[in-house]
Coordinates of all heavy atoms in Angstrom, one line a residue:
M3 N 106.1 87.5 114.3 CA 107.5 88.0 113.9 C 107.3 89.2 113.0 O 106.5 89.1 112.0 CB 108.2 86.9 113.2 CG 109.6 87.4 112.7 SD 110.8 86.0 112.3 CE 109.7 85.1 111.1
K4 N 108.0 90.2 113.2 CA 108.0 91.4 112.4 C 109.4 91.6 111.8 O 110.4 91.6 112.6 CB 107.6 92.7 113.1 CG 106.1 92.6 113.7 CD 105.8 93.9 114.6 CE 104.4 93.7 115.1 NZ 104.1 94.7 116.2
I5 N 109.5 91.8 110.5 CA 110.9 91.9 109.9 C 110.8 93.4 109.2 O 109.9 93.5 108.4 CB 111.2 90.9 109.0 CG1 111.1 89.5 109.6 CG2 112.5 91.1 108.3 CD1 111.3 88.3 108.7
A6 N 111.7 94.2 109.6 CA 111.9 95.5 108.8 C 113.1 95.4 107.9 O 114.1 94.9 108.4 CB 111.9 96.6 109.8
V7 N 113.0 95.9 106.8 CA 114.3 95.9 105.9 C 114.5 97.4 105.4 O 113.6 98.0 104.9 CB 114.0 95.1 104.6 CG1 115.2 95.1 103.7 CG2 113.6 93.6 104.9
A8 N 115.7 97.8 105.8 CA 116.1 99.2 105.5 C 117.6 99.2 105.1 O 118.3 98.2 105.3 CB 115.9 100.1 106.8
G9 N 117.9 100.3 104.4 CA 119.4 100.4 104.0 C 119.5 101.4 102.9 O 118.5 102.1 102.5
K10 N 120.6 101.5 102.4 CA 120.9 102.8 101.5 C 120.3 102.3 100.1 O 120.0 101.2 99.8 CB 122.4 102.9 101.3 CG 123.3 101.9 100.8 CD 124.7 102.2 100.9 CE 125.0 103.1 99.7 NZ 126.5 103.4 99.5
G11 N 120.2 103.3 99.3 CA 119.6 103.2 98.0 C 120.2 102.2 97.1 O 121.4 102.1 97.0
G12 N 119.4 101.3 96.5 CA 120.0 100.4 95.6 C 120.7 99.1 96.2 O 121.5 98.3 95.5
S13 N 120.5 99.0 97.5 CA 121.3 97.9 98.2 C 120.6 96.6 98.1 O 121.2 95.6 98.7 CB 121.6 98.3 99.6 OG 120.4 98.6 100.3
G14 N 119.4 96.6 97.7 CA 118.7 95.3 97.6 C 117.5 95.0 98.5 O 117.0 93.9 98.6
K15 N 117.0 96.1 99.1 CA 116.0 96.0 100.1 C 114.7 95.4 99.5 O 114.1 94.5 100.1 CB 115.6 97.4 100.6 CG 116.7 98.2 101.3 CD 116.3 99.6 101.8 CE 115.9 100.5 100.6 NZ 117.1 100.9 99.8
T16 N 114.3 95.9 98.3 CA 113.0 95.4 97.8 C 113.1 93.9 97.4 O 112.2 93.1 97.5 CB 112.6 96.3 96.5 OG1 112.4 97.6 97.0 CG2 111.3 95.8 95.9
T17 N 114.3 93.7 96.8 CA 114.5 92.2 96.4 C 114.5 91.3 97.5 O 113.8 90.2 97.5 CB 115.9 92.1 95.7 OG1 115.9 93.1 94.6 CG2 116.1 90.7 95.1
I18 N 115.2 91.6 98.6 CA 115.3 90.7 99.7 C 113.9 90.6 100.4 O 113.6 89.6 101.0 CB 116.5 91.0 100.7 CG1 116.8 89.9 101.6 CG2 116.2 92.3 101.5 CD1 117.7 88.8 101.0
S19 N 113.2 91.9 100.5 CA 111.9 91.9 101.1 C 111.0 90.9 100.4 O 110.3 90.1 101.2 CB 111.4 93.2 101.1 OG 112.2 94.1 101.8
G20 N 111.0 91.0 99.1 CA 110.0 90.1 98.4 C 110.4 88.6 98.6 O 109.6 87.6 98.7
T21 N 111.7 88.4 98.6 CA 112.2 87.0 98.7 C 111.8 86.4 100.1 O 111.3 85.2 100.2 CB 113.7 86.8 98.5 OG1 113.9 87.5 97.2 CG2 114.2 85.5 98.5
I22 N 112.1 87.2 101.1 CA 111.7 86.7 102.5 C 110.2 86.4 102.6 O 109.8 85.5 103.1 CB 112.1 87.8 103.5 CG1 113.7 87.9 103.5 CG2 111.6 87.5 104.9 CD1 114.2 89.0 104.5
A23 N 109.4 87.5 102.0 CA 108.0 87.3 102.2 C 107.4 86.0 101.5 O 106.7 85.3 102.0 CB 107.3 88.6 101.6
R24 N 108.0 85.8 100.3 CA 107.4 84.6 99.6 C 108.1 83.4 100.1 O 107.3 82.3 100.2 CB 107.9 84.8 98.0 CG 107.1 85.9 97.4 CD 107.2 85.9 96.0 NE 106.6 84.7 95.4 CZ 106.4 84.6 94.0 NH1 106.8 85.5 93.2 NH2 105.8 83.5 93.4
S25 N 109.2 83.4 100.7 CA 109.8 82.1 101.3 C 109.0 81.7 102.5 O 108.6 80.5 102.8 CB 111.2 82.4 101.8 OG 112.0 82.6 100.5
L26 N 108.7 82.7 103.4 CA 107.9 82.5 104.6 C 106.5 82.0 104.2 O 106.0 81.1 104.9 CB 107.9 83.7 105.5 CG 109.1 84.1 106.1 CD1 109.1 85.4 106.9 CD2 109.6 82.9 107.2
A27 N 105.9 82.6 103.2 CA 104.5 82.3 102.9 C 104.5 80.8 102.3 O 103.6 80.1 102.6 CB 104.0 83.2 101.8
R28 N 105.5 80.5 101.6 CA 105.6 79.1 100.9 C 105.7 78.0 102.0 O 105.3 76.9 101.8 CB 106.7 79.0 99.9 CG 106.4 79.7 98.6 CD 107.5 79.4 97.6 NE 107.3 80.4 96.5 CZ 108.0 80.2 95.4 NH1 109.0 79.4 95.3 NH2 107.7 81.0 94.3
K29 N 106.3 78.4 103.3 CA 106.4 77.6 104.4 C 105.1 77.5 105.1 O 105.0 76.8 106.2 CB 107.6 77.9 105.1 CG 109.0 77.7 104.5 CD 110.1 78.0 105.5 CE 111.4 77.6 104.8 NZ 112.5 78.0 105.5
G30 N 104.1 78.2 104.7 CA 102.9 78.2 105.4 C 102.6 79.3 106.4 O 101.5 79.3 107.0
H31 N 103.4 80.3 106.6 CA 103.2 81.4 107.5 C 102.4 82.4 106.8 O 102.6 82.7 105.6 CB 104.6 82.1 107.8 CG 105.6 81.1 108.5 ND1 105.4 80.7 109.8 CD2 106.7 80.5 108.1 CE1 106.3 80.0 110.2 NE2 107.2 79.8 109.1
P32 N 101.4 83.0 107.5 CA 100.7 84.1 107.0 C 101.6 85.2 106.8 O 102.2 85.6 108.0 CB 99.4 84.3 108.0 CG 100.0 83.7 109.3 CD 101.0 82.6 108.9
V33 N 101.6 86.0 105.8 CA 102.6 87.1 105.5 C 101.8 88.3 105.1 O 101.1 88.3 104.2 CB 103.7 86.7 104.5 CG1 104.6 87.9 104.3 CG2 104.5 85.5 105.0
L34 N 102.0 89.4 105.9 CA 101.6 90.7 105.4 C 102.8 91.5 105.1 O 103.7 91.7 105.9 CB 100.8 91.3 106.6 CG 100.5 92.9 106.3 CD1 99.5 93.1 105.3 CD2 99.9 93.4 107.7
A35 N 102.9 92.0 103.8 CA 104.0 92.8 103.4 C 103.6 94.2 103.3 O 102.6 94.6 102.6 CB 104.5 92.3 102.0
L36 N 104.3 95.0 104.0 CA 104.0 96.5 104.0 C 105.0 97.3 103.2 O 106.2 97.2 103.5 CB 103.9 97.1 105.4 CG 102.8 96.6 106.4 CD1 103.1 97.2 107.7 CD2 101.5 96.9 105.8
D37 N 104.7 97.9 102.0 CA 105.7 98.6 101.3 C 105.6 100.1 101.7 O 104.6 100.8 101.6 CB 105.3 98.6 99.8 CG 106.4 99.0 99.0 OD1 107.4 99.7 99.5 OD2 106.4 98.8 97.8
C38 N 106.6 100.5 102.6 CA 106.7 101.8 103.2 C 107.6 102.8 102.3 O 107.9 103.8 102.8 CB 107.2 101.8 104.6 SG 106.2 100.7 105.6
D39 N 108.0 102.3 101.2 CA 108.9 103.1 100.3 C 107.9 104.1 99.6 O 106.8 103.8 99.2 CB 109.5 102.2 99.2 CG 110.8 103.0 98.6 OD1 110.6 104.1 98.2 OD2 111.8 102.2 98.5
T40 N 108.4 105.4 99.6 CA 107.6 106.4 98.9 C 107.6 106.2 97.4 O 106.7 106.7 96.6 CB 108.3 107.8 99.0 OG1 109.6 107.8 98.9 CG2 108.0 108.2 100.5
N41 N 108.4 105.3 96.8 CA 108.3 104.8 95.4 C 108.1 103.3 95.5 O 109.0 102.6 95.4 CB 109.7 105.2 94.7 CG 109.5 104.7 93.2 OD1 108.4 104.6 92.6 ND2 110.6 104.4 92.6
P42 N 106.8 103.0 95.9 CA 106.6 101.5 96.2 C 106.8 100.5 95.1 O 106.0 100.6 94.0 CB 105.2 101.5 96.8 CG 104.6 102.8 96.2 CD 105.6 103.7 95.8
M43 N 107.8 99.6 95.0 CA 108.0 98.7 94.0 C 107.9 97.3 94.6 O 108.3 96.3 93.8 CB 109.3 98.9 93.3 CG 109.4 100.4 92.8 SD 108.3 100.5 91.4 CE 109.1 99.6 90.2
L44 N 107.5 97.1 95.7 CA 107.5 95.6 96.4 C 106.6 94.8 95.6 O 107.0 93.5 95.5 CB 107.2 95.7 97.9 CG 107.2 94.4 98.6 CD1 108.8 93.9 98.5 CD2 107.0 94.7 100.1
G45 N 105.6 95.3 95.0 CA 104.7 94.4 94.2 C 105.4 93.7 93.2 O 105.2 92.5 92.8
V46 N 106.3 94.4 92.5 CA 107.1 93.8 91.3 C 107.9 92.6 92.0 O 107.9 91.4 91.4 CB 108.0 94.8 90.8 CG1 108.8 94.2 89.6 CG2 107.3 96.1 90.2
S47 N 108.6 92.8 93.0 CA 109.4 91.7 93.7 C 108.5 90.6 94.1 O 109.0 89.4 94.0 CB 110.2 92.4 94.9 OG 111.0 91.4 95.5
L48 N 107.3 90.9 94.5 CA 106.4 89.9 95.0 C 105.7 89.1 93.8 O 105.0 88.1 94.1 CB 105.3 90.5 96.0 CG 105.8 90.9 97.3 CD1 104.7 91.6 98.0 CD2 106.1 89.6 98.2
G49 N 105.8 89.5 92.7 CA 105.3 88.9 91.5 C 103.8 89.4 91.1 O 103.2 88.8 90.4
V50 N 103.5 90.7 91.7 CA 102.3 91.2 91.4 C 102.2 91.7 89.8 O 101.1 91.7 89.2 CB 101.9 92.4 92.3 CG1 100.6 93.1 91.8 CG2 101.6 91.8 93.7
G51 N 103.4 92.1 89.4 CA 103.5 92.7 88.0 C 103.7 94.1 88.0 O 103.1 94.9 88.8
P52 N 104.5 94.7 87.1 CA 104.8 96.1 87.1 C 103.6 97.0 86.9 O 103.5 98.0 87.6 CB 105.9 96.3 86.0 CG 105.9 94.9 85.3 CD 105.2 93.9 86.1
E53 N 102.8 96.7 85.9 CA 101.7 97.6 85.7 C 100.7 97.6 86.9 O 100.2 98.6 87.3 CB 100.9 97.1 84.4 CG 101.7 97.5 83.1 CD 102.5 96.3 82.8 OE1 102.5 95.2 83.4 OE2 103.5 96.4 81.9
E54 N 100.4 96.4 87.5 CA 99.4 96.2 88.5 C 100.1 97.0 89.7 O 99.3 97.6 90.5 CB 99.2 94.8 88.9 CG 98.5 94.1 87.8 CD 99.3 93.5 86.6 OE1 100.5 93.9 86.5 OE2 98.8 92.8 85.8
T55 N 101.4 96.9 89.9 CA 102.0 97.5 91.1 C 101.8 99.1 91.0 O 101.6 99.7 92.0 CB 103.6 97.1 91.1 OG1 103.5 95.7 91.4 CG2 104.2 97.9 92.3
D56 N 102.0 99.5 89.7 CA 101.8 101.0 89.6 C 100.4 101.4 89.9 O 100.2 102.7 90.3 CB 102.1 101.3 88.1 CG 103.4 102.0 87.8 OD1 104.2 102.3 88.8 OD2 103.7 102.3 86.7
L57 N 99.5 100.6 89.7 CA 98.1 100.9 90.0 C 97.6 100.8 91.4 O 96.5 101.2 91.7 CB 97.1 100.2 89.0 CG 97.3 100.5 87.6 CD1 96.5 99.5 86.7 CD2 97.0 102.0 87.2
L58 N 98.4 100.2 92.3 CA 98.0 99.9 93.7 C 97.7 101.2 94.3 O 98.5 102.1 94.2 CB 99.1 99.1 94.4 CG 99.2 97.6 93.9 CD1 100.4 96.9 94.7 CD2 98.0 96.8 94.0
V59 N 96.5 101.2 95.1 CA 96.3 102.4 95.8 C 97.2 102.5 97.2 O 97.2 101.5 98.0 CB 94.8 102.3 96.3 CG1 94.4 103.5 97.3 CG2 93.9 102.5 95.0
A60 N 97.7 103.7 97.4 CA 98.5 103.7 98.7 C 97.5 104.3 99.7 O 96.8 105.1 99.5 CB 99.6 104.8 98.5
A61 N 97.5 103.5 100.9 CA 96.6 103.9 102.0 C 96.6 105.4 102.4 O 95.6 106.0 102.4 CB 96.9 103.0 103.1
R62 N 97.9 105.9 102.7 CA 97.9 107.2 103.1 C 97.4 108.2 102.0 O 96.6 109.2 102.4 CB 99.4 107.6 103.5 CG 99.5 109.1 104.0 CD 100.9 109.3 104.4 NE 101.4 108.4 105.4 CZ 102.7 108.3 105.8 NH1 103.5 109.0 105.2 NH2 103.0 107.4 106.8
Q63 N 97.7 108.1 100.8 CA 97.3 108.8 99.6 C 95.7 108.8 99.6 O 95.1 110.0 99.5 CB 97.9 108.4 98.5 CG 98.1 109.3 97.3 CD 98.7 108.6 96.1 OE1 98.6 107.3 95.9 NE2 99.4 109.3 95.3
A64 N 95.2 107.6 99.6 CA 93.7 107.6 99.5 C 93.0 108.3 100.6 O 92.0 108.9 100.4 CB 93.4 106.0 99.4
L65 N 93.5 108.1 101.8 CA 92.9 108.8 103.0 C 93.0 110.3 102.9 O 92.1 111.0 103.2 CB 93.5 108.2 104.3 CG 93.2 106.7 104.6 CD1 93.9 106.3 105.7 CD2 91.6 106.6 104.8
D66 N 94.2 110.7 102.5 CA 94.5 112.2 102.4 C 93.5 112.7 101.3 O 93.0 113.9 101.4 CB 95.9 112.4 101.9 CG 96.9 112.3 103.1 OD1 96.4 112.1 104.3 OD2 98.1 112.3 102.8
A67 N 93.2 112.1 100.3 CA 92.4 112.5 99.1 C 90.9 112.4 99.5 O 90.0 112.9 98.8 CB 92.6 111.7 97.9
G68 N 90.6 111.8 100.7 CA 89.3 111.7 101.0 C 88.5 110.6 100.3 O 87.2 110.6 100.2
D69 N 89.2 109.8 99.5 CA 88.5 108.8 98.7 C 87.9 107.6 99.5 O 86.9 107.1 99.1 CB 89.5 108.1 97.8 CG 90.1 109.0 96.7 OD1 89.4 110.1 96.5 OD2 91.1 108.7 96.2
L70 N 88.5 107.3 100.7 CA 88.1 106.2 101.5 C 88.0 106.8 103.0 O 88.7 107.6 103.4 CB 89.1 105.1 101.4 CG 89.2 104.4 100.0 CD1 90.4 103.5 100.0 CD2 87.9 103.5 99.8
E71 N 87.0 106.1 103.6 CA 86.9 106.4 105.1 C 88.0 105.8 105.9 O 88.6 104.8 105.4 CB 85.5 105.6 105.6 CG 84.3 106.3 105.0 CD 84.1 107.7 105.6 OE1 84.4 107.9 106.8 OE2 83.7 108.5 104.8
H72 N 88.4 106.3 107.0 CA 89.4 105.8 107.9 C 89.0 104.4 108.3 O 87.8 104.3 108.7 CB 89.6 106.6 109.0 CG 90.7 107.8 108.6 ND1 92.0 107.6 108.8 CD2 90.4 109.0 108.1 CE1 92.6 108.8 108.5 NE2 91.7 109.6 108.0
E73 N 89.8 103.5 108.3 CA 89.5 102.1 108.9 C 89.9 102.2 110.3 O 90.9 102.8 110.7 CB 90.3 101.1 108.2 CG 89.8 100.7 106.8 CD 88.4 100.0 106.9 OE1 88.1 99.4 108.0 OE2 87.7 99.8 105.8
T74 N 89.0 101.6 111.2 CA 89.4 101.6 112.5 C 90.2 100.4 113.1 O 90.7 100.5 114.3 CB 88.0 101.7 113.4 OG1 87.2 100.6 113.0 CG2 87.4 103.0 113.2
S75 N 90.3 99.3 112.3 CA 91.0 98.2 112.8 C 92.1 97.8 111.8 O 92.0 98.1 110.6 CB 90.1 97.0 113.0 OG 89.6 96.6 111.7
P76 N 93.1 97.2 112.3 CA 94.2 96.8 111.5 C 93.7 95.8 110.4 O 94.1 95.8 109.2 CB 95.1 96.0 112.4 CG 95.0 96.7 113.7 CD 93.6 97.0 113.8
D77 N 92.8 94.9 110.8 CA 92.2 94.0 109.8 C 91.4 94.7 108.7 O 91.5 94.4 107.5 CB 91.3 93.0 110.6 CG 92.0 91.9 111.3 OD1 93.2 91.7 111.1 OD2 91.4 91.2 112.1
G78 N 90.8 95.8 109.1 CA 90.0 96.7 108.1 C 91.0 97.2 107.2 O 90.7 97.3 106.0
I79 N 92.1 97.8 107.7 CA 93.1 98.5 106.8 C 93.6 97.5 105.8 O 93.7 97.7 104.7 CB 94.2 99.0 107.7 CG1 93.7 100.2 108.5 CG2 95.3 99.4 106.8 CD1 94.7 100.7 109.6
I80 N 94.0 96.2 106.3 CA 94.4 95.2 105.4 C 93.5 94.8 104.4 O 93.8 94.5 103.2 CB 94.9 94.0 106.3 CG1 96.2 94.5 107.2 CG2 95.3 92.9 105.4 CD1 96.4 93.4 108.3
E81 N 92.2 94.6 104.7 CA 91.2 94.3 103.7 C 91.0 95.3 102.8 O 90.8 95.1 101.6 CB 89.9 94.0 104.6 CG 88.7 93.6 103.8 CD 88.9 92.4 102.9 OE1 89.7 91.5 103.4 OE2 88.3 92.2 101.8
T82 N 90.8 96.6 103.2 CA 90.5 97.7 102.3 C 91.7 98.1 101.4 O 91.4 98.3 100.1 CB 90.1 98.9 103.1 OG1 89.0 98.5 104.0 CG2 89.7 100.1 102.3
F83 N 92.9 98.1 101.9 CA 94.0 98.6 101.1 C 94.8 97.5 100.6 O 95.7 97.7 99.8 CB 94.8 99.6 101.9 CG 94.0 100.8 102.4 CD1 93.8 100.9 103.7 CD2 93.6 101.7 101.4 CE1 93.0 102.1 104.1 CE2 93.0 102.9 101.9 CZ 92.6 103.0 103.1
G84 N 94.6 96.2 101.1 CA 95.5 95.2 100.6 C 95.2 94.6 99.3 O 94.1 94.8 98.7
T85 N 96.2 94.0 98.7 CA 96.0 93.2 97.5 C 96.7 91.9 97.7 O 97.6 91.7 98.4 CB 96.5 94.0 96.4 OG1 96.2 93.4 95.1 CG2 98.1 94.1 96.3
S86 N 96.1 90.9 97.0 CA 96.7 89.4 97.1 C 97.8 89.3 96.1 O 97.6 89.6 94.8 CB 95.6 88.5 96.7 OG 94.6 88.5 97.7
A87 N 98.9 88.9 96.6 CA 100.1 88.6 95.8 C 100.2 87.1 95.6 O 99.7 86.3 96.5 CB 101.3 89.3 96.4
P88 N 101.2 86.6 94.7 CA 101.4 85.2 94.8 C 101.9 84.6 96.1 O 102.3 85.3 96.9 CB 102.5 85.1 93.7 CG 102.4 86.3 92.8 CD 101.9 87.4 93.7
D89 N 101.7 83.3 96.2 CA 102.0 82.6 97.4 C 101.1 83.0 98.6 O 101.6 82.8 99.7 CB 103.5 82.7 97.7 CG 104.4 82.1 96.7 OD1 103.9 81.0 96.1 OD2 105.4 82.6 96.3
E90 N 100.1 83.7 98.4 CA 99.1 84.1 99.4 C 99.7 85.2 100.4 O 99.4 85.3 101.4 CB 98.7 83.0 100.3 CG 97.8 82.0 99.4 CD 97.1 80.9 100.2 OE1 96.6 81.2 101.3 OE2 97.1 79.8 99.8
V91 N 100.7 85.9 99.8 CA 101.2 87.1 100.4 C 100.2 88.2 100.3 O 99.6 88.5 99.2 CB 102.5 87.6 100.0 CG1 103.0 88.9 100.6 CG2 103.7 86.5 100.3
R92 N 99.9 89.0 101.5 CA 99.0 90.1 101.3 C 99.8 91.3 101.4 O 100.7 91.6 102.3 CB 98.1 90.1 102.6 CG 96.9 91.1 102.5 CD 95.8 90.6 101.6 NE 94.8 91.7 101.6 CZ 93.9 91.7 100.6 NH1 93.9 90.8 99.6 NH2 92.9 92.6 100.6
L93 N 99.7 92.2 100.3 CA 100.5 93.4 100.2 C 99.8 94.7 100.5 O 98.7 94.8 100.0 CB 101.1 93.4 98.8 CG 101.7 94.9 98.4 CD1 103.0 95.0 99.2 CD2 102.1 94.7 96.9
V94 N 100.3 95.5 101.3 CA 99.7 96.9 101.6 C 100.7 97.9 101.2 O 101.8 98.0 101.8 CB 99.1 97.0 103.0 CG1 98.7 98.5 103.3 CG2 98.0 96.0 103.3
V95 N 100.3 98.8 100.3 CA 101.2 100.0 100.0 C 100.9 101.0 100.9 O 99.6 101.5 101.1 CB 101.0 100.4 98.5 CG1 101.7 101.7 98.3 CG2 101.4 99.3 97.6
V96 N 101.8 101.6 101.6 CA 101.5 102.6 102.8 C 101.5 104.0 102.2 O 100.5 104.6 102.5 CB 102.5 102.4 104.0 CG1 102.3 103.5 104.9 CG2 102.4 101.0 104.6
S97 N 102.4 104.3 101.4 CA 102.2 105.7 100.9 C 103.0 105.7 99.6 O 103.8 104.9 99.1 CB 103.0 106.6 101.8 OG 104.3 106.4 101.9
R98 N 102.7 106.7 98.8 CA 103.3 106.8 97.5 C 103.4 108.4 97.1 O 102.5 109.2 97.3 CB 102.4 106.2 96.4 CG 102.8 106.3 95.0 CD 101.7 106.0 94.0 NE 101.2 104.7 94.1 CZ 101.7 103.5 93.7 NH1 102.9 103.7 93.0 NH2 101.3 102.3 93.9
I99 N 104.6 108.8 96.5 CA 104.8 110.2 96.1 C 104.7 110.1 94.6 O 105.4 109.6 93.9 CB 106.2 110.7 96.6 CG1 106.2 110.9 98.1 CG2 106.5 112.1 95.9 CD1 107.5 111.5 98.6
D100 N 103.6 110.8 94.1 CA 103.4 110.8 92.7 C 104.4 111.8 92.0 O 104.8 111.5 90.9 CB 101.9 111.3 92.3 CG 101.0 110.1 92.6 OD1 101.4 108.9 92.3 OD2 99.8 110.3 92.9
R101 N 104.4 113.0 92.6 CA 105.3 114.0 92.0 C 106.2 114.5 93.0 O 105.8 115.3 93.9 CB 104.4 115.1 91.4 CG 105.2 116.0 90.4 CD 104.3 117.1 89.9 NE 103.8 117.8 91.1 CZ 102.9 118.8 91.0 NH1 102.3 119.1 89.8 NH2 102.5 119.5 92.1
A102 N 107.5 114.3 92.9 CA 108.5 114.6 93.9 C 108.9 116.1 93.7 O 109.2 116.5 92.6 CB 109.7 113.7 93.9
N103 N 108.8 116.9 94.8 CA 109.2 118.2 94.7 C 110.6 118.4 95.1 O 111.2 117.4 95.8 CB 108.3 119.1 95.6 CG 106.9 119.3 95.0 OD1 106.8 119.5 93.8 ND2 105.9 119.3 95.9
P104 N 111.3 119.5 94.9 CA 112.7 119.6 95.5 C 112.7 119.5 96.9 O 111.8 120.0 97.7 CB 113.1 121.1 95.1 CG 112.2 121.3 93.9 CD 110.9 120.6 94.2
G105 N 113.7 118.6 97.5 CA 113.8 118.5 98.8 C 113.0 117.2 99.4 O 113.1 116.8 100.5
C106 N 112.3 116.7 98.5 CA 111.5 115.5 98.8 C 112.5 114.3 99.0 O 113.5 114.1 98.2 CB 110.5 115.1 97.7 SG 109.6 113.7 98.0
P107 N 112.3 113.4 100.0 CA 113.3 112.3 100.2 C 113.2 111.3 99.0 O 114.1 110.6 98.9 CB 112.9 111.7 101.6 CG 111.5 112.1 101.8 CD 111.4 113.4 101.0
Ligands
ATP14 N1 121.7 89.8 95.9 C1 121.8 90.5 94.8 N2 122.7 90.2 93.8 C2 122.8 91.0 92.7 N3 122.0 92.0 92.3 C3 121.0 92.3 93.2 C4 120.9 91.5 94.4 N4 119.8 92.0 95.1 C5 119.3 92.9 94.3 N5 120.0 93.1 93.2 C6 119.8 94.1 92.1 O1 120.2 95.3 92.5 C7 119.3 96.3 92.1 C8 118.7 97.1 93.2 O2 117.8 96.2 94.0 P1 116.6 96.6 94.8 O3 115.7 97.4 93.9 O4 116.0 95.4 95.5 O5 117.3 97.7 95.9 P2 116.6 98.8 96.8 O6 117.5 98.8 98.0 O7 115.2 98.4 97.0 O8 116.5 100.0 95.9 P3 115.9 101.5 96.2 O9 116.7 102.1 97.3 O10 116.1 102.1 94.9 O11 114.5 101.1 96.6 C9 118.2 95.6 91.3 O12 118.6 95.7 89.9 C10 118.3 94.2 91.7 O13 117.9 93.3 90.6
MG15 MG1 113.4 99.4 96.8

């Protein structure tokens, strides 16, 4: 099952995403949470902690910077870029904008 959460700013996307992820994980489902927000805060909602969430490496950013080799498999991407969150949720941050320029979404 794949669940995508989208909506207008401040409508509760991150909160509901974290709640769904942890609820499913507590019921025994393997959960991969992908944070696709350019200001990724899902780690906070998942219980990773604010400081730790700030430090998470974003996959796209790391690859663009040449810090890491491209992974060829989904499992490799999850292993390399993922972090373990409470309730055994696996979190992958997809992208992050460090410094927003004018016109940046
Ligand atoms: N069901 C709810 N009832 C009351 N407050 C809520 C609820 N869900 C979220 N909030 C609060 O609303 C605010 C925005 O929530 P959240 O950050 O989850 O929204 P978002 O859609 O992810 O925002 P953004 O577009 O900035 O990423 C937070 O302060 C959160 O605690
Ligand atoms: Mg959000």
Side-chain angles (χ1 to χ4, degrees):
M3 177 169 51
K4 296 174 186 170
I5 302 173
V7 179
K10 63 184 286 191
S13 58
K15 302 180 292 294
T16 300
T17 306
I18 198 75
S19 299
T21 304
I22 291 172
R24 291 189 68 167
S25 297
L26 290 172
R28 284 183 189 186
K29 288 183 176 172
H31 299 283
V33 177
L34 171 64
L36 295 178
D37 195 347
C38 300
D39 200 313
T40 48
N41 181 25
M43 299 297 286
L44 184 56
V46 177
S47 184
L48 285 172
V50 171
E53 291 85 12
E54 292 83 351
T55 296
D56 254 359
L57 294 173
L58 292 177
V59 170
R62 183 177 299 168
Q63 201 180 30
L65 290 171
D66 283 350
D69 293 343
L70 291 166
E71 292 292 319
H72 278 267
E73 285 287 346
T74 53
S75 70
D77 284 346
I79 292 170
I80 294 164
E81 178 63 29
T82 302
F83 298 110
T85 191
S86 294
D89 295 322
E90 296 187 41
V91 172
R92 190 80 181 160
L93 168 64
V94 174
V95 173
V96 176
S97 65
R98 176 194 300 279
I99 292 179
D100 280 333
R101 195 184 55 187
N103 289 322
C106 177

